[in-house]
């Protein structure tokens, strides 16, 4: 019995030794493609030397360090900051890290995005993002340490202070956990002080082409202008950008707008004027509540009125009158130097034609979708059926109407043009018609 027991013990010992020799290196190298989530040491989390990955040396016991650089001391809402994590140790040759950005309650704060080939972002089941090294990031042969680069897009300043916790692994590359050193660090990023309350007067949101006065309605999917004071962070941004989702951004110059709680795409952002798209989800509504957030401060709520169509023609002076934003088929603006001629096809730009087929989502660049309502023009008092009336391809919220200058149109520099959609008339503009 004793000998049989000895044999059983021997078999168990050899089996254990075989397991360690075959599988421990695989276990160790598995973490070269990224550590377990939740080992930054922040908010009560373990670090890798406490959770069983790299044991034996106390945290921050070696001559190395992990540091977060590039992060601002004060963040602005929605701004993207490039950040670097550097892991260094003069005795080590293999590297890893993990970082999270959270508010004081431990919830995700902002968005992390990898910008180098050495890291990637994963999301834990509590919604917290962790950016960690990947297999390429745990590279060998750099004894002075390595950098990991990524972007952090800040949340709204109402989130409050943001804490970034990072753990760095300086490993010796010997295929075991023996001799690896874990370093930790953290920073706190304060929100920018709230700015003044954005001020929008009642009736200050209008069609961005016609500027028809309140309570003139606007159409869902169309372009609107909001006038007021302190509407953004003080910047002058005449154009916007598309996000990774392919949609026009809903935040610009630390300003954002909701209409019935739906984020509105922003075309431009100035302290006294914002250009937005009325969300297409509001089709069928007759009114909606609009509100601006600027530098974390909320404006009062204002009511706007909606209709199935509310046509407005863009003008060259951007005031809704005078010469219209009308071009020829070569893209040249109709003007005294380039007059339209009877029988010529020209293109008028507008907004507010209403529903189109196929539909176009809020913030999405359009294809060639046709207006579903009846569209006509009055050119020098003559009713004209357009050749095309619908969305302007590749633009957001912009409509175009292609039409032929009718026979009998007078020659002149101020020939009137009006757009009608299901009986609703636009602002009048003018074109130049020559011989």
């Amino acid at each position: 019995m004793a000998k049989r027991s000895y044999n059983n013990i021997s078999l168990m010992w050899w089996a254990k030794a075989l397991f360690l020799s075959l599988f421990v290196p695989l276990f160790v190298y598995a973490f070269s493609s990224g550590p377990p989530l939740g080992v930054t040491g922040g908010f009560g989390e373990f670090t890798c030397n406490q959770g069983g990955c790299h044991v034996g040396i106390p945290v921050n016991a070696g001559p190395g360090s992990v540091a977060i650089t590039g992060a601002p001391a004060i963040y602005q809402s929605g701004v993207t900051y490039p950040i670097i994590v550097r892991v260094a140790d003069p005795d080590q040759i293999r590297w890893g890290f993990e970082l999270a950005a959270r508010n004081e309650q431990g919830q995700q704060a902002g968005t992390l995005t990898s910008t180098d080939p050495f890291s990637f972002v994963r999301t834990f089941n509590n919604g917290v993002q962790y950016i960690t090294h990947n297999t390429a990031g745990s590279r060998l042969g750099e004894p002075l340490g390595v950098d990991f680069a990524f972007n952090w897009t800040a949340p709204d300043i109402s989130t409050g202070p943001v804490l970034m916790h990072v753990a760095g692994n300086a490993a010796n590359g010997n295929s075991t956990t023996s001799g690896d050193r874990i370093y930790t660090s953290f920073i706190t990023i304060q929100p920018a002080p709230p700015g003044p309350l954005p001020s929008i007067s009642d009736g200050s949101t209008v069609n961005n082409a016609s500027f028809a006065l309140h309570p003139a309605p606007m159409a869902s999917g169309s372009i609107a202008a909001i006038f007021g004071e302190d509407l953004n962070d003080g910047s002058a941004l005449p154009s916007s950008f598309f996000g990774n989702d392919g949609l026009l951004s809903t935040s610009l110059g630390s300003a954002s707008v909701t209409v019935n709680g739906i984020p509105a795409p922003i075309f431009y952002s100035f302290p006294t004027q914002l250009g937005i798209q009325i969300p297409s989800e509001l089709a069928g509504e007759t009114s909606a509540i609009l509100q601006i957030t600027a530098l974390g401060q909320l404006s009062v709520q204002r009511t706007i009125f909606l209709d199935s169509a509310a046509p407005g023609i863009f003008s060259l002076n951007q005031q809704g009158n005078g010469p219209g934003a009308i071009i020829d088929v070569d893209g040249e603006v109709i003007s005294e130097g380039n007059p339209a001629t009877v029988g010529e096809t020209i293109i008028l730009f507008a907004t507010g034609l209403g529903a189109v087929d196929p539909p176009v989502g809020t913030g999405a660049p359009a294809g060639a979708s046709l207006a579903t309502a009846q569209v006509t023009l009055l050119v020098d008092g003559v009713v004209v059926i357009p050749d095309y009336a619908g969305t302007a391809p590749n633009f957001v919220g912009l409509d175009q109407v292609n039409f032929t200058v009718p026979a009998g149109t007078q020659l002149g520099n101020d020939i009137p043009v009006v757009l009608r959609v299901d009986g609703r008339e636009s602002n009048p503009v003018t074109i130049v018609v020559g011989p």
Side-chain angles (χ1 to χ4, degrees):
M1 289 292 296
K3 186 172 183 179
R4 188 177 302 147
S5 175
Y6 172 80
N7 287 340
N8 288 342
I9 293 173
S10 298
L11 289 172
M12 290 172 61
W13 188 90
W14 282 109
K16 182 177 180 181
L18 180 63
F19 174 84
L20 291 173
S21 65
L22 291 179
F23 295 104
V24 166
L26 295 178
F27 174 78
V28 172
Y29 278 111
F31 291 113
S32 69
S33 61
L37 297 185
V39 291
T40 67
F43 291 94
E45 294 175 343
F46 289 124
T47 58
C48 276
N49 70 329
Q50 298 165 315
C53 313
H54 303 270
V55 296
I57 299 178
V59 175
N60 298 320
S65 63
V66 61
I68 304 169
T69 61
I74 297 174
Y75 71 87
Q76 298 278 3
S77 301
V79 175
T80 297
Y81 300 94
I83 296 177
I84 290 176
V85 165
R86 181 166 183 79
V87 185
D89 188 308
D91 302 327
Q92 307 293 72
I93 60 171
R94 198 178 186 103
W95 316 97
F97 87 108
E98 181 173 282
L99 177 142
R102 290 166 280 198
N103 64 16
E104 291 182 313
Q105 290 72 48
Q107 300 165 330
Q108 179 66 30
T111 305
L112 299 170
T113 308
S114 175
T115 58
D116 67 16
F118 305 123
S119 60
F120 67 118
V121 176
R122 296 179 288 168
T123 302
F124 209 20
N125 55 16
N126 61 357
V128 174
Q129 286 185 317
Y130 292 87
I131 186 163
T132 74
H133 66 274
N134 57 20
T135 302
S138 61
R139 51 208 186 273
L140 290 166
E142 300 184 49
L144 297 181
V146 296
D147 292 338
F148 298 93
F150 59 94
N151 284 343
W152 174 63
T153 301
D156 190 275
I157 60 172
S158 60
T159 301
V162 174
L163 288 75
M164 286 190 180
H165 291 89
V166 65
N169 181 15
N172 55 22
N174 66 358
S175 302
T176 75
T177 60
S178 174
D180 297 341
R181 296 168 179 163
I182 303 298
Y183 299 99
T184 61
S185 183
F186 77 94
I187 60 171
T188 301
I189 308 172
Q190 297 293 339
L197 287 175
S199 173
I200 49 174
S201 302
D202 194 19
S204 63
T205 302
V206 297
N207 183 304
N208 206 153
S210 69
F211 296 98
L213 297 177
H214 183 82
M218 291 162 284
S220 62
S222 67
I223 304 173
I226 306 170
F227 294 91
E229 301 289 336
D230 301 313
L231 301 183
N232 71 359
D233 57 9
S235 56
L237 301 171
S239 60
S240 188
F241 61 93
F242 290 93
N244 293 332
D245 57 2
L247 303 179
L248 192 67
S249 175
T250 56
S251 177
L252 190 65
S254 300
S256 59
V257 182
T258 59
V259 187
N260 270 13
I262 302 169
I266 300 182
F267 296 95
Y268 57 84
S269 178
F270 295 90
T272 58
Q273 185 178 346
L274 301 176
I276 68 165
Q277 183 185 28
I278 304 296
S280 59
E281 292 89 340
L282 297 177
E285 300 291 336
T286 57
S287 66
I289 300 299
L290 181 145
Q291 190 170 36
I292 295 174
T293 302
L295 288 174
Q297 298 282 64
L298 284 172
S299 72
V300 297
Q301 296 181 341
R302 295 299 185 189
T303 299
I304 62 173
F305 295 99
L306 304 173
D307 202 349
S308 58
I313 303 174
F314 286 96
S315 62
L316 296 182
N317 65 10
Q318 299 181 25
Q319 296 177 20
N321 55 40
I326 303 173
I327 62 174
D328 61 25
V329 293
D330 295 321
E332 298 293 327
V333 174
I334 300 299
S335 64
E336 291 185 28
N338 181 44
T341 58
V342 172
E344 180 183 7
T345 297
I346 56 178
I347 302 167
L348 171 153
F349 291 102
T351 193
L353 298 188
V356 294
D357 185 26
V360 181
T362 300
S369 293
L370 293 173
T372 60
Q374 182 184 37
V375 179
T376 59
L377 297 108
L378 281 178
V379 181
D380 198 19
V382 177
V383 176
V384 176
I385 305 300
D387 304 310
Y388 171 86
T391 55
N394 303 316
F395 288 89
V396 175
L398 184 65
D399 298 320
Q400 75 176 60
V401 179
N402 302 3
F403 67 98
T404 301
V405 180
T409 301
Q410 301 179 77
L411 305 184
N413 295 337
D414 57 354
I415 305 304
V417 177
V418 175
L419 184 61
R420 286 178 174 171
V421 182
D422 270 352
R424 299 164 177 82
E425 286 197 357
S426 73
N427 53 310
V429 297
T430 62
I431 58 171
V432 180
V433 179

